[in-house]
Amino acid sequence: MATNQEQRDLEQIFPVCRMIVGEQVWQELLSLSPKTSPENLPAFLADFGQGQVVPPYLPELARLERTFNKATMAQADFSRPAERPVLNPTLEILELSWENLASLLFEDAATDIARPEKSPEWVVVFRGPQSQKMRCRPATDQELLALKVVAADLNPDQVALENHVPLGVIDRALSHADRMGLTLAPESKIRRNPAFFTGRKAMEQFQIAPVFTLQWHITQSCDLHCRHCYDRSSMMELELDQGMAILDDFKSFCRSRHVDGHISFTGGNPLLYPHFNTLYQQAADLGFSLGILGNPAAKERIEEIMAISEPVFYQVSLEGLREQNDFIRGPGHFDRVIDFLSILKDLDLYSMVMLTLTEDNRDQVLPLAEELRNKTDLFTFNRLSLTGEGAQLQSTQRDGFESFLQEYIQAAKTNPVISLKDNLLNIIRYREGGDLFGGCAGFGCGAAFNFVSLLPDGEVHSCRKFPSPIGNIFEQSLAAIYDGPQAEQYRNGPQACNDCPIRPVCGGCLAVGHGMGIDIFTEQDPYCFMSQTEREAGLMR
């Protein structure tokens, strides 16, 4: 018979088994076994269960509870970054002959507990690296694949080749396992200048970017001729083999920096690129998440793209209400976009609408947002960059810009499609004591930090909205370009912003500053309304 200490251990480790059989049967079990211990209880239950009135799944449930306890007691230091992908040190993987047992361990947290069924199931038990909470749930085939690759230190390329699957299948599985906490991957090397965070510990979540975006202008061809177009110059069409080589180079860059890669295909109109489907397929096969910044298209064309791989978003543009928009983008464009948004909604494809803010359309932004309510998933704006043909238009006046932003923030509280993007919105959030958001690119101005723009001729720019060349991908690798002095200069931004309390989520807009003729590496955004008193106070949360 179990000693008092053994009995307490058993009650602590197997509370669910004890609850299921009831106190009377539980005590009978302990009295029948001369040496009942956590290690031998599952085997004892298997023997005892023959011909007895206990659930047939009880031995397996005991194995699971014992494993859960083991993982709970495991020691792990999650504060030290991994040098290479490794398994979560608390992870336990259990192959069971009954399914739905994991839900029994968390019955109080569920409203509908699945009945145990006789069927094989793999279960993972681990402590979340971030939350420190214990997890116990069935493992998916994708997760088991990732765990095998990491545990055996296999080469993802070789695994994909041997299993005749796209590399993206393996990489997506590995990324998923890392996000779920099943594995620990090295930290992203896309990191902000540490000086941005001196005295700003509350903003450290904006220090490391887990995703890097390539905004890829694959063609200059376009079916529109917008009055604010940044670049109507003609360029040689990107050859397909060049595009494939760029994808391989981007994959190498993302691996070397330990980030997930995202590609936003754009142009011109990216769908006019003659090899779009082939390039898009290869990008999907390599595991990149994909988005499209384009023009309205036929439903059949979008379905064709979705059959290859569903983009995470499709973005179109409107420049105000019908008359103003069609003046900028051409007659009939407004109605075509509204019809196209209906197509995207029918296809359940996430839609985004972007507006370029000028003096002529500022008073139409919020009315347009109301027009788009229930028609799109997200609406936001960028300020006009006085570059290319956009230099002929009028920037929104600085007088009244702050009050416009305040009205925009208020409208966003009641209109779910309105999204915050302009970095200067964070000044208002800061003043109001609210949470700061990531700004234009999730990390303030992301130029040459967590994104770059690539043109059809191979030129890489820190931002597409103004001339900001940092290299040519046909002459250097993306890694060499990113590490170059020009890129570093753009991502450090204006020196005048260094002492600003919200620098990590702002930095203004370099494109706007460039268009207004300032030195963007020393002077702040001309529209900035953060007072010197506020800067000096440096009130950080």
Side-chain angles (χ1 to χ4, degrees), residues 21 27 88 153 162 197 218 223-224 241 251 272 302 389 407 422 449 489 529:
V21 301
Q27 294 301 330
N88 182 323
D153 197 20
E162 291 175 355
F197 299 90
I218 55 177
D223 46 334
L224 302 176
D241 61 344
K251 188 68 179 181
L272 296 181
I302 303 304
E389 296 186 6
E407 293 172 4
D422 193 296
F449 172 60
Q489 191 174 27
F529 49 90

Short mmCIF file of all heavy atoms in Angstrom, two decimals, residues 21 27 88 153 162 197 218 223-224 241 251 272 302 389 407 422 449 489 529:
data_model
loop_
_atom_site.label_atom_id
_atom_site.label_comp_id
_atom_site.label_asym_id
_atom_site.label_seq_id
_atom_site.Cartn_x
_atom_site.Cartn_y
_atom_site.Cartn_z
N VAL A 21 -12.41 8.23 -11.63
CA VAL A 21 -12.78 6.94 -11.02
C VAL A 21 -13.56 7.14 -9.72
O VAL A 21 -14.26 6.22 -9.27
CB VAL A 21 -11.55 6.06 -10.77
CG1 VAL A 21 -10.81 5.78 -12.07
CG2 VAL A 21 -10.61 6.68 -9.74
N GLN A 27 -9.06 4.98 -3.74
CA GLN A 27 -8.47 4.43 -2.53
C GLN A 27 -8.30 2.91 -2.63
O GLN A 27 -7.34 2.34 -2.12
CB GLN A 27 -9.34 4.78 -1.32
CG GLN A 27 -9.39 6.26 -1.00
CD GLN A 27 -8.02 6.85 -0.70
OE1 GLN A 27 -7.12 6.15 -0.19
NE2 GLN A 27 -7.83 8.13 -1.01
N ASN A 88 12.05 23.03 -27.42
CA ASN A 88 11.73 23.61 -26.11
C ASN A 88 12.20 22.61 -25.05
O ASN A 88 11.80 21.45 -25.08
CB ASN A 88 10.22 23.83 -26.02
CG ASN A 88 9.78 24.48 -24.72
OD1 ASN A 88 10.33 24.20 -23.66
ND2 ASN A 88 8.76 25.31 -24.80
N ASP A 153 18.34 17.95 -36.44
CA ASP A 153 19.18 18.97 -37.07
C ASP A 153 19.29 18.71 -38.58
O ASP A 153 20.38 18.72 -39.15
CB ASP A 153 20.57 18.98 -36.43
CG ASP A 153 21.34 20.26 -36.76
OD1 ASP A 153 20.68 21.25 -37.15
OD2 ASP A 153 22.57 20.25 -36.66
N GLU A 162 13.73 15.47 -50.49
CA GLU A 162 13.48 14.04 -50.28
C GLU A 162 11.99 13.73 -50.17
O GLU A 162 11.56 12.62 -50.54
CB GLU A 162 14.20 13.58 -49.00
CG GLU A 162 15.72 13.57 -49.13
CD GLU A 162 16.41 13.24 -47.82
OE1 GLU A 162 15.69 13.10 -46.80
OE2 GLU A 162 17.65 13.11 -47.82
N PHE A 197 16.52 53.24 -27.74
CA PHE A 197 15.79 52.72 -26.59
C PHE A 197 16.41 53.14 -25.25
O PHE A 197 15.99 52.66 -24.21
CB PHE A 197 15.69 51.19 -26.69
CG PHE A 197 14.96 50.76 -27.92
CD1 PHE A 197 15.64 50.53 -29.10
CD2 PHE A 197 13.58 50.62 -27.91
CE1 PHE A 197 14.96 50.17 -30.25
CE2 PHE A 197 12.90 50.26 -29.05
CZ PHE A 197 13.59 50.03 -30.23
N ILE A 218 7.69 44.72 -59.83
CA ILE A 218 8.16 43.78 -60.84
C ILE A 218 7.98 44.30 -62.26
O ILE A 218 8.52 43.72 -63.21
CB ILE A 218 7.48 42.40 -60.70
CG1 ILE A 218 5.96 42.54 -60.73
CG2 ILE A 218 7.92 41.73 -59.40
CD1 ILE A 218 5.22 41.20 -60.67
N ASP A 223 -2.05 50.16 -66.18
CA ASP A 223 -3.24 50.52 -66.94
C ASP A 223 -3.83 51.85 -66.49
O ASP A 223 -4.89 52.25 -66.95
CB ASP A 223 -4.29 49.41 -66.85
CG ASP A 223 -4.49 48.91 -65.42
OD1 ASP A 223 -3.54 49.02 -64.63
OD2 ASP A 223 -5.58 48.39 -65.11
N LEU A 224 -3.15 52.53 -65.56
CA LEU A 224 -3.56 53.84 -65.11
C LEU A 224 -2.43 54.84 -65.36
O LEU A 224 -1.30 54.45 -65.64
CB LEU A 224 -3.90 53.82 -63.61
CG LEU A 224 -4.99 52.86 -63.14
CD1 LEU A 224 -5.11 52.92 -61.62
CD2 LEU A 224 -6.33 53.19 -63.78
N ASP A 241 14.21 34.61 -65.22
CA ASP A 241 15.34 34.00 -64.52
C ASP A 241 15.95 34.97 -63.51
O ASP A 241 16.45 34.56 -62.45
CB ASP A 241 16.39 33.48 -65.50
CG ASP A 241 16.99 34.58 -66.37
OD1 ASP A 241 16.40 35.68 -66.44
OD2 ASP A 241 18.04 34.34 -66.98
N LYS A 251 15.54 34.62 -50.02
CA LYS A 251 15.42 33.50 -49.09
C LYS A 251 16.68 33.39 -48.24
O LYS A 251 16.61 33.20 -47.01
CB LYS A 251 15.18 32.19 -49.85
CG LYS A 251 14.85 31.01 -48.96
CD LYS A 251 13.49 31.19 -48.31
CE LYS A 251 13.09 30.05 -47.43
NZ LYS A 251 11.76 30.24 -46.82
N LEU A 272 0.13 42.82 -64.70
CA LEU A 272 0.48 42.97 -66.11
C LEU A 272 1.85 42.38 -66.43
O LEU A 272 2.22 42.28 -67.61
CB LEU A 272 0.46 44.46 -66.50
CG LEU A 272 -0.91 45.16 -66.41
CD1 LEU A 272 -0.78 46.61 -66.84
CD2 LEU A 272 -1.95 44.44 -67.25
N ILE A 302 -8.45 36.92 -59.97
CA ILE A 302 -8.14 36.80 -58.53
C ILE A 302 -8.27 35.34 -58.09
O ILE A 302 -7.45 34.85 -57.31
CB ILE A 302 -9.06 37.71 -57.70
CG1 ILE A 302 -8.93 39.17 -58.17
CG2 ILE A 302 -8.70 37.60 -56.22
CD1 ILE A 302 -7.52 39.72 -58.15
N GLU A 389 5.58 62.80 -60.69
CA GLU A 389 4.45 63.63 -61.10
C GLU A 389 3.70 64.19 -59.89
O GLU A 389 2.95 65.16 -60.02
CB GLU A 389 3.51 62.82 -62.00
CG GLU A 389 4.19 62.40 -63.29
CD GLU A 389 3.25 61.72 -64.27
OE1 GLU A 389 2.03 61.67 -63.99
OE2 GLU A 389 3.73 61.23 -65.30
N GLU A 407 -9.12 64.29 -35.39
CA GLU A 407 -10.43 63.86 -35.89
C GLU A 407 -10.34 62.44 -36.46
O GLU A 407 -11.28 61.64 -36.30
CB GLU A 407 -10.91 64.83 -36.98
CG GLU A 407 -11.23 66.22 -36.47
CD GLU A 407 -11.51 67.20 -37.61
OE1 GLU A 407 -11.51 66.75 -38.78
OE2 GLU A 407 -11.71 68.39 -37.33
N ASP A 422 0.12 56.71 -40.22
CA ASP A 422 1.06 57.83 -40.18
C ASP A 422 1.73 57.90 -38.81
O ASP A 422 1.08 57.89 -37.77
CB ASP A 422 0.32 59.15 -40.47
CG ASP A 422 1.27 60.29 -40.75
OD1 ASP A 422 2.03 60.67 -39.83
OD2 ASP A 422 1.28 60.80 -41.88
N PHE A 449 14.90 49.37 -42.83
CA PHE A 449 14.96 48.63 -41.58
C PHE A 449 14.25 47.29 -41.72
O PHE A 449 14.90 46.25 -41.80
CB PHE A 449 14.36 49.43 -40.42
CG PHE A 449 14.24 48.62 -39.15
CD1 PHE A 449 15.38 48.07 -38.56
CD2 PHE A 449 13.01 48.37 -38.56
CE1 PHE A 449 15.28 47.28 -37.41
CE2 PHE A 449 12.90 47.60 -37.41
CZ PHE A 449 14.03 47.05 -36.84
N GLN A 489 22.25 54.67 -43.09
CA GLN A 489 21.94 56.09 -42.94
C GLN A 489 20.42 56.32 -43.00
O GLN A 489 19.87 57.08 -42.20
CB GLN A 489 22.63 56.90 -44.04
CG GLN A 489 22.58 58.40 -43.83
CD GLN A 489 23.39 59.16 -44.86
OE1 GLN A 489 23.59 58.68 -45.99
NE2 GLN A 489 23.87 60.33 -44.50
N PHE A 529 4.65 67.99 -34.85
CA PHE A 529 4.12 68.99 -33.91
C PHE A 529 4.42 68.62 -32.46
O PHE A 529 3.76 69.09 -31.54
CB PHE A 529 2.61 69.20 -34.13
CG PHE A 529 1.82 67.91 -34.20
CD1 PHE A 529 1.27 67.35 -33.06
CD2 PHE A 529 1.62 67.29 -35.42
CE1 PHE A 529 0.54 66.18 -33.13
CE2 PHE A 529 0.88 66.11 -35.50
CZ PHE A 529 0.33 65.54 -34.35
#
